[in-house]
Amino acid sequence: NEPTPHSHASYPTTMSCRAAFDSAFYCTSFAGKFNHIYRYGETRSCSEHWSDWRFCMSLKGMSAAGRREHVVDRYREKEERVRRGANSEDVWGVR
C-alpha cells in the first residue's frame, strides 16, 4: 500500500519565521528537553527545528510567488521523509 502523493493545495503556502524560531528555541530549552525525555525516554535533536528557521529566514529576499513555491516544496519533502520511516500510519494500516 503505497501512500498517494498529495496535491499542491494540501500543503501550507506560508511559513512563520517567529513560530519556527519559537519551536526551535523551545526544543533546546530545559522544558522542551524534559518533555521529550518524559514522553519518549530519550533526548531529541533540534536540528530539524533550526533548519526550518534558517530556511524561513532565507525566503526573505524572494518574491511572493517564489516563497510560496519553496514553502510548498519544503512541506512536501518533510512529509515524504516522515512517510518513508516508521510512523503511526503503519499501525492504522494494520487495523
Side-chain angles (χ1 to χ4, degrees), residues 36-88:
H36 201 269
I37 290 171
Y38 178 76
R39 289 178 183 156
Y40 304 104
E42 62 188 19
T43 59
R44 70 174 164 180
S45 171
C46 298
S47 62
E48 180 78 21
H49 294 282
W50 288 113
S51 177
D52 285 344
W53 177 70
R54 284 189 302 273
F55 170 77
C56 186
M57 295 302 289
S58 74
L59 299 174
K60 294 294 184 186
M62 292 184 180
S63 67
R67 276 195 303 269
R68 277 191 301 273
E69 192 63 32
H70 277 80
V71 169
V72 167
D73 289 344
R74 175 77 171 197
Y75 280 108
R76 184 184 316 110
E77 290 168 4
K78 286 177 77 169
E79 183 176 348
E80 288 171 2
R81 275 196 307 268
V82 169
R83 287 181 178 268
R84 277 192 300 254
N87 62 52
S88 62

Side-chain angles (χ1 to χ4, degrees), residues 4-11 72 76:
T4 57
H6 291 87
S7 68
H8 256 47
S10 66
Y11 296 105
V72 167
R76 184 184 316 110

Side-chain angles (χ1 to χ4, degrees), residues 25-38:
F25 188 78
Y26 179 76
C27 182
T28 59
S29 73
F30 177 74
K33 295 283 187 195
F34 180 81
N35 280 342
H36 201 269
I37 290 171
Y38 178 76

Side-chain angles (χ1 to χ4, degrees), residues 7-21:
S7 68
H8 256 47
S10 66
Y11 296 105
T13 58
T14 61
M15 181 181 242
S16 167
C17 293
R18 169 123 190 221
F21 180 82

